[in-house]
Amino acid sequence: MFPVNTQVRNIYPPFDTFTVPMANATNEYGCMETLTASAPWWFGAYVAEADWVQPPPVVVRFLPGHDARVAFTGTDSSAAQAVDISFVFSDAMSCASVTAAVTVSSSPGPAGTVDATTVECGAIDAYYADDYVGTRAGTWMWKATLNGAEGIHRITIGVNATSSGGLGLQFSPTFLLRLGRANNPMVFGKLGLYDSGLIGTVGGAVSLVHSAVGADKFRVSYDHGLNFTAWAAYTSVSAVNTAAAAASGTVLVQYWSSTVLSAAHVSWCSFDSSYHAIGESSAARFSSVGMFGDFNLYGKDAFVRTYLDHVGDGDWQISAMFSGSEDVYFMVDGIIQFGDFDGNMYIDRQQIGALAVNTLTIPAPASGYVAWSLNLNDRSRLVTLTPRTTTVQMLVLYLSFFLFPVVLATAAFSFYKLYYS
C-alpha cells in the first residue's frame, strides 16, 4: 500500500510509472480501481519511485546468432575469414568499453580477433519492445568484423563493458560461432555427415582423413556405432583397422569438443573393397533393420518377413499385411531398439530406464487395401506408409486358388481316357 499521490514504478520492463490516486476522502492510502494490462499475460510489481533502482544493462541479441554455423570459404583452414558480428544492448553503452571487453578464444586456433577499425556503435529502433512481457528491449548496437580461422569461436563480453550511465554487466555472456566447410561435422554434422573423403590412401597406407576442425578427440566404429575404439587426440590423419573396415565396408567417426562440451558430431563413409568411397545414395547408415510385432510373432514366424530391404537413398522397405492396428518396434543393427513414443512417425530411442512403451503404431490398412508398404529413411528417421494390394486383387487371387484345382482336374479328365477291364 502506498500513500495517496505517491509516484510508483514497475520493477519489470517497460518500467512504467503512475501516481497512486485517492481511494476515498477518509483514507490516507490510495487505490487503483483499474489497471490496464499492456499485453496478454502481463505482470508487474511496483515500488515507490524513490526506492526504484536502475537495473544493469544486458545483452538482448547476438548476430548472426548464438552457435551460428557459417560456411568457411578459404582453402587454408588456418587462414582468417571475416565475419560480421553485432551485439544489441538494453541500454546505451560506452562504445570503447564494449570494444575493450570483447574477447575471443578459438578451437583449434589461432584465436580470432576483432578488427577495431570496423567497430560501429549507436542507437537503434527498439528491438523486442513488445514481443515478450518482462523482456528488456534492445536500444543500442555494437557491431564489428571478426577475423577467424576454421573452427569454433567463443566470444565473451566482460563485465567491464559499461553503460553511458556507468553501470556494468552483472555477468559475462558467452556466444559461440562455428566456421567450417561443408564436410566439417563440428559445424554441419546434423544427424551424421556423409564424407566421401573420410577414408583414403595417404603415403601409401589406408588412412582416415578427418575434416572435423574444432574437435579435440575422436573415436572410430566399424560396425555402425555398436562398438568404438578408445578416444584419441584429434589429428588430421589417422590409421585404419583394415581388417575391421574390410569386413563392414563402413567407417563411422565420432568427435568430441571441449569448447562445446559435446560428442554429437559424426562423420561416416561406406566404401568398396578397394577403399574407394561409394555414393551416399547407395550407402546405408544401418547394417540391418528388423520390424517386430504380433504380425510376425516378434520374428518367430518364419513365413512372415521380419527384415527390411535397403533400396538406396537411405530408404529401407518392407511390405506387410495387418488385420488391424498394430504396434511394432524396430531393431537396428540387431541391438538398438527404436519406436515412436511421441506418435509423430519419426522413430525414437527411449532413455535407459524409461517406463514408457516405445512402439510405433501402424493403423489398419486403408479402405480398399489389405497391406502396407512401409518405408523407413535412415537419415530423417521418418516412417511413411503406402497402401498396397487392393481387396479386389486379393479376391481374384483367392478365387484363383479355389478354381485352379477344379479347372485343372476338369482338363485332366477330358484329356485322359479311362479304360476298365
Side-chain angles (χ1 to χ4, degrees):
M1 300 179 67
F2 298 98
V4 174
N5 295 326
T6 300
Q7 185 82 6
V8 295
R9 188 162 190 170
N10 195 350
I11 64 172
Y12 296 108
F15 310 120
D16 51 299
T17 63
F18 66 84
T19 301
V20 177
M22 181 181 294
N24 55 63
T26 61
N27 196 335
E28 63 178 309
Y29 293 101
C31 178
M32 286 289 293
E33 295 183 358
T34 61
L35 189 60
T36 302
S38 58
W41 310 107
W42 175 89
F43 58 86
Y46 292 84
V47 298
E49 178 77 32
D51 298 328
W52 186 84
V53 177
Q54 173 71 38
V58 295
V59 179
V60 299
R61 193 183 191 195
F62 167 66
L63 293 173
H66 174 59
D67 208 12
R69 318 301 171 98
V70 179
F72 184 81
T73 58
T75 56
D76 181 2
S77 62
S78 62
Q81 176 175 308
V83 180
D84 292 331
I85 62 172
S86 60
F87 296 102
V88 177
F89 291 85
S90 60
D91 301 81
M93 305 291 289
S94 162
C95 189
S97 71
V98 174
T99 303
V102 174
T103 58
V104 182
S105 60
S106 306
S107 176
T113 59
V114 174
D115 186 349
T117 64
T118 63
V119 173
E120 296 182 27
C121 305
I124 61 171
D125 293 336
Y127 184 79
Y128 279 157
D130 302 312
D131 291 14
Y132 305 100
V133 176
T135 300
R136 302 282 294 275
T139 61
W140 190 89
M141 176 181 286
W142 177 97
K143 58 182 179 179
T145 297
L146 170 70
N147 295 313
E150 184 177 13
I152 305 172
H153 303 276
R154 289 171 58 94
I155 307 168
T156 302
I157 307 177
V159 294
N160 52 322
T162 58
S163 68
S164 55
L167 295 176
L169 300 177
Q170 279 195 320
F171 64 95
S172 298
T174 297
F175 305 91
L176 295 179
L177 178 67
R178 306 196 197 197
L179 273 172
R181 301 172 203 184
N183 64 339
N184 187 337
M186 302 302 299
V187 181
F188 300 110
K190 199 170 186 180
L191 281 180
L193 184 69
Y194 189 83
D195 184 3
S196 58
L198 182 59
I199 194 166
T201 302
V202 178
V206 178
S207 306
L208 292 177
V209 182
H210 304 280
S211 301
V213 179
D216 296 303
K217 293 180 181 294
F218 75 95
R219 61 179 185 171
V220 184
S221 172
Y222 299 100
D223 54 10
H224 294 268
L226 296 182
N227 299 282
F228 283 91
T229 62
W231 286 101
Y234 178 81
T235 179
S236 59
V237 178
S238 64
V240 172
N241 182 335
T242 53
S248 69
T250 297
V251 63
L252 181 148
V253 186
Q254 183 180 21
Y255 301 95
W256 177 80
S257 166
S258 61
T259 303
V260 297
L261 296 177
S262 172
H265 313 95
V266 174
S267 283
W268 67 287
C269 178
S270 291
F271 44 87
D272 58 22
S273 57
S274 300
Y275 297 99
H276 295 143
I278 63 177
E280 183 178 5
S281 61
S282 301
R285 290 171 182 261
F286 308 139
S287 60
S288 66
V289 182
M291 184 172 70
F292 298 84
D294 285 335
F295 77 101
N296 63 356
L297 300 180
Y298 294 91
K300 296 179 181 179
D301 190 340
F303 295 98
V304 180
R305 288 185 57 199
T306 296
Y307 288 91
L308 285 69
D309 294 324
H310 181 246
V311 296
D313 203 22
D315 290 324
W316 297 76
Q317 292 181 353
I318 189 172
S319 296
M321 294 179 61
F322 303 101
S323 58
S325 179
E326 183 86 16
D327 291 332
V328 302
Y329 65 87
F330 300 91
M331 290 297 291
V332 172
D333 300 331
I335 193 172
I336 306 173
Q337 180 177 335
F338 284 84
D340 180 28
F341 59 81
D342 52 4
N344 61 359
M345 298 300 285
Y346 287 86
I347 60 173
D348 312 296
R349 288 186 67 181
Q350 188 75 287
Q351 292 184 352
I352 297 176
L355 299 178
V357 176
N358 190 20
T359 57
L360 181 140
T361 300
I362 298 178
S367 178
Y369 293 86
V370 298
W372 288 113
S373 175
L374 182 145
N375 186 93
L376 168 63
N377 187 274
D378 62 17
R379 290 160 176 74
S380 66
R381 309 293 171 87
L382 175 65
V383 175
T384 54
L385 299 171
T386 304
R388 182 170 180 175
T389 310
T390 66
T391 52
V392 173
Q393 291 173 320
M394 283 301 296
L395 180 60
V396 171
L397 183 62
Y398 177 79
L399 292 175
S400 298
F401 286 147
F402 177 76
L403 296 175
F404 184 73
V406 177
V407 173
L408 192 62
T410 302
F413 183 79
S414 62
F415 181 78
Y416 294 102
K417 301 296 183 180
L418 297 179
Y419 295 93
Y420 299 93
S421 60

